[in-house]
Amino acid sequence: MKIRKAVIPVAGLGTRFLPASKAIPKEMLTIVDRPTIQYIVEEVVASGIDQVILITSEGKSAIENHFDYNFHLDRALTEKKKTRLAEEMRHISNLIDVVSVRQKKPLGLGHAIWMARNVVGNEPFLVLLGDDLVLSEKPCCKQMIDLFNEVQESIVAVQQVPMEQTYQYGIVEGKNIKERVIKIDRMVEKPAPGTTMSDMAIIGRYILQPDIFDILEKTTPGHGGEIQLTDALLALSNKRGMYAYEFDGTRFDAGDKIGYLKAIIAFALRHPDICEDFSDYLKEMAGQL
Ligand code: UTP
């Protein structure tokens, strides 16, 4: 089956970014000249997806507005003869079909994904976390879709992390069946030191079979009283096969202060308007350290 839909949960509280995220969704914080969420939607578009399903909450309407058509702005920019800017704004609203579903309470990532069940229906779908950025030549989602077209089973994107940091992640264990691809045997959420030999950590990109919805419905709240996606993934991997894919690219957790700053530097160094000046500035700064 073809992957046509991408679910992007953005209903979290964003406590790691307070007070910046008090009145502005953290997904709307700027990386150079566009909000984090736009890079994520652009990755989805570049991967050939037809529809984005945003899982939103109170206070996140700026995200919906960002992908909507703004008639007044369009008219004002056109009157001021700022044609290129007006076209760029129309381009954002024409990027992709966006549907949004409200998660009334932040009951966890698993619950947020379950909220998408009626819009997704009975087909495999992508999930991208609204604050996880990946910089790569070939879009990370496209890499995963290519693998899905071969294996037709659920896939989690993983990256190697230092062994002493594994306790911060969901960790997969299994056998390498070919370059970058692991058939999963076991998954552990935030393992205590010494309890896993694997350093393969799950990041915010998934392709899931729709069986996940029934599993999530029966999943009881876990760590932090939230419905955890990892608990449901474990059940799904036991029911059907599941693969981990070591994607080609660099991932940034833009929901975290240091990850956000690293993302700004990496994306600025690739931005055609500013890369040279910014690179000179960084060299100058490095000389002063
Ligand atoms: P995070 O773990 O980053 O949580 O969620 P958070 O609330 O956004 O941020 P912190 O940790 O308090 O700073 C991972 C993803 O799951 C979504 C978030 O929006 C983010 O994209 N999420 C989380 C929901 O949509 N609903 C939830 O109930 C929880």
Side-chain angles (χ1 to χ4, degrees):
M1 255 182 131
K2 196 172 172 275
I3 308 287
R4 303 184 306 138
K5 300 178 182 184
V7 174
I8 310 182
V10 293
L13 292 173
T15 53
R16 285 170 295 160
F17 243 121
L18 284 169
S21 54
K22 188 177 171 213
I24 298 166
K26 65 173 173 180
E27 298 81 3
M28 288 301 291
L29 296 178
T30 317
I31 309 269
V32 189
D33 59 0
R34 64 192 82 168
T36 305
I37 190 75
Q38 189 176 329
Y39 290 96
I40 292 172
V41 169
E42 283 170 352
E43 180 185 328
V44 165
V45 173
S47 303
I49 296 294
D50 301 333
Q51 188 179 53
V52 161
I53 301 149
L54 289 174
I55 310 298
T56 65
S57 58
E58 193 198 356
K60 300 272 180 165
S61 50
I63 301 176
E64 289 156 1
N65 293 342
H66 184 73
F67 294 104
D68 201 355
Y69 173 64
N70 185 329
F71 171 75
H72 300 291
L73 181 63
D74 192 8
R75 196 168 61 180
L77 290 172
T78 309
E79 275 169 13
K80 287 180 190 297
K81 308 244 178 303
K82 296 189 185 263
T83 322
R84 203 178 65 83
L85 257 186
E87 267 168 20
E88 202 180 322
M89 295 310 103
R90 282 197 292 269
H91 169 72
I92 297 170
S93 61
N94 290 330
L95 272 175
I96 196 165
D97 175 29
V98 178
V99 171
S100 62
V101 177
R102 278 275 178 128
Q103 185 191 25
K104 291 183 184 139
K105 284 186 190 166
L107 296 177
L109 175 59
H111 181 262
I113 291 170
W114 180 73
M115 292 302 300
R117 66 199 180 284
N118 293 330
V119 190
V120 170
N122 193 25
E123 58 182 273
F125 60 104
L126 258 166
V127 174
L128 297 92
L129 300 193
D131 54 2
D132 241 53
L133 286 172
V134 177
L135 196 53
S136 56
E137 289 303 322
K138 182 173 171 181
C140 180
C141 287
K142 182 77 178 84
Q143 297 176 39
M144 294 173 75
I145 290 171
D146 287 349
L147 175 62
F148 177 83
N149 290 340
E150 275 176 46
V151 299
Q152 294 287 320
E153 283 301 353
S154 301
I155 300 167
V156 294
V158 292
Q159 68 175 7
Q160 204 170 19
V161 295
M163 212 57 201
E164 63 277 11
Q165 287 176 19
T166 51
Y167 74 93
Q168 298 173 17
Y169 295 89
I171 298 293
V172 301
E173 295 175 359
K175 281 177 284 300
N176 260 95
I177 56 161
K178 63 175 181 168
E179 204 192 347
R180 297 185 180 277
V181 182
I182 299 167
K183 177 93 175 66
I184 298 177
D185 292 330
R186 201 167 86 98
M187 247 181 284
V188 259
E189 180 63 15
K190 302 192 170 62
T195 57
T196 180
M197 296 294 283
S198 168
D199 57 2
M200 285 294 163
I202 301 177
I203 65 131
R205 300 277 185 282
Y206 313 79
I207 289 179
L208 300 175
Q209 288 288 359
D211 311 52
I212 194 80
F213 294 125
D214 281 344
I215 297 173
L216 282 168
E217 186 147 4
K218 294 186 199 103
T219 306
T220 46
H223 181 74
E226 294 188 347
I227 296 178
Q228 297 289 344
L229 179 62
T230 319
D231 295 343
L233 287 179
L234 193 61
L236 182 62
S237 72
N238 288 334
K239 185 176 170 204
R240 307 177 60 136
M242 191 180 288
Y243 296 84
Y245 174 67
E246 200 185 342
F247 65 97
D248 185 14
T250 311
R251 174 253 184 181
F252 300 91
D253 179 1
D256 172 78
K257 292 179 195 62
I258 190 79
Y260 176 71
L261 292 173
K262 286 180 183 174
I264 290 178
I265 291 175
F267 282 81
L269 287 172
R270 288 189 139 218
H271 195 293
D273 296 350
I274 58 165
C275 57
E276 279 181 26
D277 288 350
F278 188 60
S279 165
D280 289 346
Y281 175 70
L282 285 185
K283 284 180 200 144
E284 193 187 314
M285 290 282 286
Q288 292 170 17
L289 289 177

